Amino acid sequence: MERTNDSTLTEFVLVGLSAHPELQTVFFGLVLWMCVMILLGNGVLLSGIIYDFHLHTPMYFFLCNLSILDICYTSSSVPLILDSFLTVRKKVSFSGYMVQMFLSFAMGATECVLLGMMAFDRFMAICFPLRYPGIMTKGVYVPMAAASWVIGLADSVVQTSLAMQLPFCTNDVIHHFVCEILAILKLACADISTNVISMVGSNLIALVVPLLIISISYIFIVATILKIPRNEGKRKAFSTCSAHLTVVIIFYGTLFFMYAKPKSKTLADADSQDIFGALISLFYGVMTPMLNPLIYSLRNKDVQAAVKSMLGRKDFSDDM
């Protein structure tokens, strides 16, 4: 490809589903509905936890951070997704693309680390219930949550800075809905080995390490639960972990499906994979934040009670 000076590159073109106009209207309505559900669901969940003093515990503090993450990600990315469905070739400025990419990467990396912190919290609560109040104090769990944000933001600063230094080819068309780092690396007209090495380090810190923490924590959690003599105690312990484990499976399952799938060698199949990958990314970016508050509220009686109390309803279930 012909190489162009990166100073002349002022915009990228997001094509999304422009090759399938019959699907754009359907996806626009679907994503708009999901966006409303994300903001409403996470907003109600966040308000309910803040409202009920009994939920001011480490587990629900981490859950508040998760809801804030989902709201921030949705507010920063979904408007661009919706606009791409209304525009045949959505043009995004170079600086706008980088800002969007920074926010998306930061939110994703932060959520990975935060899920690891939440797994450690559940490990301490179930495996060491008597020592838990003395260990997981406010001076411990607040810095843990803050560290998740710092790691995610710092990681995104590094990846975005490296991407901004790359020269790009004349082909500025990106087969995606949003500004995604892997999509832009494909357009670079220079050696991206530094970016690749950096991404590997990023995946190790923000993806692999939290997943190891989650896996080890749940091995000990399951072993501890199985030792509980009464079935009622086992059910209660499993109930406190099942919501978090469900979110982890959905989140990490989608991530690995996005980035670990084999690449096609033929151009036609590669184009199909680009579209399919964009749809999977859409699922990751919209479906997961929508499911999080539903999973935690439907499986948690304390959250349901807090929401009922906040809304002033005696029988919240009648409206569902």
Side-chain angles (χ1 to χ4, degrees):
M1 283 186 179
E2 181 185 350
R3 185 168 172 171
T4 183
N5 190 322
D6 56 347
S7 63
T8 63
L9 183 62
T10 59
E11 63 185 19
F12 293 101
V13 177
L14 299 176
V15 296
L17 287 175
S18 59
H20 305 274
E22 68 281 0
L23 295 178
Q24 290 194 116
T25 303
V26 175
F27 273 92
F28 177 85
L30 183 62
V31 172
L32 180 60
W33 176 79
M34 288 182 175
C35 177
V36 174
M37 291 298 102
I38 290 170
L39 298 178
L40 181 61
N42 283 285
V44 170
L45 180 61
L46 186 62
S47 301
I49 293 175
I50 295 175
Y51 173 82
D52 194 334
F53 178 77
H54 298 93
L55 299 184
H56 293 184
T57 63
M59 182 177 75
Y60 294 107
F61 178 76
F62 288 125
L63 185 54
C64 279
N65 279 266
L66 185 62
S67 291
I68 293 173
L69 269 173
D70 289 338
I71 292 173
C72 290
Y73 183 86
T74 301
S75 301
S76 64
S77 63
V78 171
L80 181 62
I81 296 174
L82 293 174
D83 193 16
S84 70
F85 291 137
L86 299 177
T87 309
V88 177
R89 293 170 66 87
K90 173 62 181 176
K91 295 181 178 181
V92 182
S93 67
F94 181 86
S95 58
Y97 191 102
M98 291 302 164
V99 170
Q100 172 67 48
M101 187 177 71
F102 167 79
L103 293 173
S104 298
F105 197 97
M107 297 302 104
T110 301
E111 185 160 349
C112 287
V113 180
L114 184 63
L115 289 175
M117 298 292 188
M118 294 174 72
F120 178 77
D121 172 69
R122 292 299 83 209
F123 161 73
M124 294 301 301
I126 293 177
C127 298
F128 303 98
L130 298 180
R131 298 171 57 188
Y132 177 75
I135 295 175
M136 293 298 293
T137 62
K138 190 174 183 179
V140 173
Y141 66 79
V142 171
M144 286 173 63
S148 300
W149 288 89
V150 171
I151 292 172
L153 291 172
D155 191 10
S156 186
V157 167
V158 172
Q159 304 308 323
T160 305
S161 299
L162 290 175
M164 290 179 67
Q165 298 174 20
L166 293 172
F168 296 97
C169 300
T170 53
N171 179 20
D172 59 354
V173 176
I174 297 177
H175 297 274
H176 219 289
F177 305 104
V178 293
C179 306
E180 206 259 350
I181 190 167
L182 295 184
I184 197 176
L185 291 181
K186 295 179 181 179
L187 304 182
C189 290
D191 182 14
I192 61 171
S193 57
T194 301
N195 301 77
V196 172
I197 294 173
S198 178
M199 285 291 292
V200 171
S202 170
N203 290 337
L204 181 64
I205 295 172
L207 201 63
V208 177
V209 171
L211 186 58
L212 285 175
I213 294 175
I214 293 170
S215 301
I216 294 172
S217 296
Y218 274 98
I219 289 174
F220 284 102
I221 287 172
V222 171
T224 301
I225 291 176
L226 292 177
K227 295 178 182 179
I228 298 177
R230 294 184 302 173
N231 290 332
E232 182 180 351
K234 289 181 180 180
R235 285 195 298 269
K236 185 176 180 180
F238 271 121
S239 177
T240 61
C241 297
S242 59
H244 175 257
L245 192 57
T246 303
V247 170
V248 167
I249 292 172
I250 294 174
F251 183 80
Y252 275 96
T254 308
L255 274 182
F256 280 113
F257 195 82
M258 284 171 57
Y259 297 117
K261 62 182 184 297
K263 302 298 181 182
S264 176
K265 296 181 180 180
T266 65
L267 182 60
D269 288 344
D271 291 339
S272 298
Q273 282 191 352
D274 285 338
I275 296 174
F276 187 65
L279 291 175
I280 294 298
S281 176
L282 183 65
F283 176 87
Y284 159 77
V286 181
M287 184 67 75
T288 305
M290 186 185 73
L291 291 177
N292 285 349
L294 293 176
I295 292 171
Y296 279 105
S297 62
L298 293 178
R299 301 180 66 88
N300 192 306
K301 294 182 179 179
D302 292 333
V303 173
Q304 291 179 11
V307 172
K308 291 178 186 178
S309 177
M310 181 186 67
L311 296 179
R313 295 181 179 180
K314 295 183 178 180
D315 192 4
F316 183 73
S317 60
D318 289 344
D319 297 329
M320 296 183 64

